Amino acid sequence: MKALISGASIAGPALAYWLHRYGWDVTVVEKAAAVRAGGYPIDVRGTALDVLDRMGVLPQVRAAHIDTRRLTFMTPDGRTAGRISAEQLTGGVEGRDLELPRGRLTTILFDAIRDDVNWIFNNSIAAIDDHGDGVTVTFTNRTGEGDTTEFDLVIGADGLHSNTRRLVFGPEEQFNRYLGYCFAGFTIPNDLGLAHEGLTWSAPGRMAAIYAPGCTDTLHGFLMTSRPQPPLAELGDVEAQRALMAGVFGGDGWLIPKLLDGMRAADDVFFDVTSQIHMPVWSRGRVVLAGDAAHAPSFFSGQGTSIALVGAYMLATELATATDPTAAFAAYEQKTRDFVRMNQALAGSGGTTLAPATNRALWIRNNVLLKLAPLLAPTGLLGRAGRKAATGITLPPVKSMDVPAPL
């Protein structure tokens, strides 16, 4: 059976791995020129670690662990409000939960399946025609097989602003739940001598951070501000993004001027809105969505990568022996949706902790929660719900494929 996966970040390569293992002929299309390196550090927790273990890549992921040892929170006037460990923030398990650069994880996943599936880079889907017994896909650029290619099903794993979702389900606006912030991430030289730590500055409605992912010559800069409406006009305009952040943070002290200068000079600025995706169904006909395309939780939850890995495993497991793709899609959604809901719900506490919206909320975070953090270590500032959500699903066993089933 032939499957097309759109997207080569986290969910896409994980799905490619499992579908190939189950005997599928897999093609992955990615609009970028290659698997994307770099990116802000991401977390892998709970059940997602079991997925990586079953893929045989957990030792490589563990070797890439950043081991953040300290998070320092700053007051609006640049004084230190408190210091905590990463585990005291998230409730993570030291020595088990992992943090690594996003690009390192995507590379590990890509390398695990590099020679076993078909990769189409610098391309994307232009049209999808689901005709009941298959899907005709038209690519933006010619693929060498003509203007169109036939697949048995299509999986959209192409992120928050999914092209696949737009083509099949309609405009993003009907599924996007805006959480009130926009942000910019970029890299700057590490001339501060930071290692294995993060510094976070907050004022009501805005937050800035400098993060040292291990001991490297590069730091990750981060600026975030509240906006009553999502700044959609800035999404495709880097100069407008720089101007927006300069207008918001231009009068602030601490290391903010250094971050604004760094953003002006950076060639890797990533700008987006904090949003979740909520859909009544994740599939239509022979097209199904996975990862952020189906259920983005926002980085406030800290669980986007983990639920993408788990969702990919659950979807591939249902497709492994399916005779009807629509039944497999329905079973995947039925078994995974509660897990997704629990993890999406974490965004509320994550946003309150990382970006307090009012002076009162900021005072409580700095003067109460940070001082209680050592006592809350088993659950972290994000609460018991975080640990429960991260482990809130039981993986079915890997399917035996002695007798592959027709679809």
Side-chain angles (χ1 to χ4, degrees), residues 152-182:
D152 292 290
L153 55 85
V154 173
I155 302 172
D158 43 357
L160 174 67
H161 306 297
S162 168
N163 177 55
T164 309
R165 187 184 61 231
R166 178 184 62 82
L167 290 171
V168 176
F169 296 87
E172 178 180 315
E173 291 74 17
Q174 61 188 312
F175 310 116
N176 187 304
R177 185 174 297 176
Y178 177 56
L179 300 183
Y181 291 85
C182 65

Side-chain angles (χ1 to χ4, degrees), residues 274-285:
T274 55
S275 294
Q276 294 184 335
I277 295 296
H278 291 260
M279 300 188 68
V281 293
W282 298 341
S283 64
R284 179 169 291 171

Side-chain angles (χ1 to χ4, degrees), residues 135-374:
V135 185
T136 303
V137 174
T138 303
F139 292 97
T140 303
N141 303 315
R142 294 179 67 90
T143 63
E145 301 180 14
D147 291 330
T148 63
T149 307
E150 289 292 319
F151 296 94
D152 292 290
L153 55 85
V154 173
I155 302 172
D158 43 357
L160 174 67
H161 306 297
S162 168
N163 177 55
T164 309
R165 187 184 61 231
R166 178 184 62 82
L167 290 171
V168 176
F169 296 87
E172 178 180 315
E173 291 74 17
Q174 61 188 312
F175 310 116
N176 187 304
R177 185 174 297 176
Y178 177 56
L179 300 183
Y181 291 85
C182 65
F183 64 90
F186 46 91
T187 55
I188 59 175
N190 185 3
D191 53 13
L192 297 173
L194 301 177
H196 298 280
E197 62 182 303
L199 307 176
T200 297
W201 175 96
S202 298
R206 59 197 190 277
M207 184 266 274
I210 297 177
Y211 194 80
C215 185
T216 69
D217 295 332
T218 301
L219 299 173
H220 288 276
F222 187 84
L223 296 169
M224 183 170 67
T225 180
S226 62
R227 309 293 287 182
Q229 298 297 323
L232 300 180
E234 283 83 357
L235 287 180
D237 186 339
V238 176
E239 288 307 316
Q241 296 161 14
R242 292 178 172 129
L244 187 155
M245 291 303 179
V248 171
F249 289 93
D252 291 318
W254 187 59
L255 295 172
I256 304 299
K258 179 181 183 64
L259 284 169
L260 291 174
D261 288 343
M263 185 178 178
R264 292 186 191 99
D267 60 3
D268 58 355
V269 174
F270 177 79
F271 181 93
D272 211 338
V273 296
T274 55
S275 294
Q276 294 184 335
I277 295 296
H278 291 260
M279 300 188 68
V281 293
W282 298 341
S283 64
R284 179 169 291 171
R286 286 178 173 260
V287 180
V288 64
L289 302 175
D292 280 359
H295 44 62
S298 94
F299 74 85
F300 281 159
S301 74
Q303 283 293 94
T305 299
S306 294
I307 64 176
L309 289 167
V310 171
Y313 180 90
M314 297 296 289
L315 174 56
T317 301
E318 294 303 326
L319 287 169
T321 55
T323 57
D324 174 10
T326 59
F329 296 162
Y332 146 69
E333 182 173 341
Q334 186 271 325
K335 294 176 182 179
T336 312
R337 188 174 278 276
D338 284 348
F339 173 70
V340 166
R341 285 197 190 102
M342 283 192 291
N343 283 281
Q344 285 185 320
L346 299 177
S349 56
T352 300
T353 301
L354 295 174
T358 65
N359 278 311
R360 176 178 172 78
L362 182 62
W363 187 92
I364 291 173
R365 198 277 307 273
N366 288 347
N367 293 280
V368 180
L369 294 181
L370 291 179
K371 291 176 174 57
L372 289 176

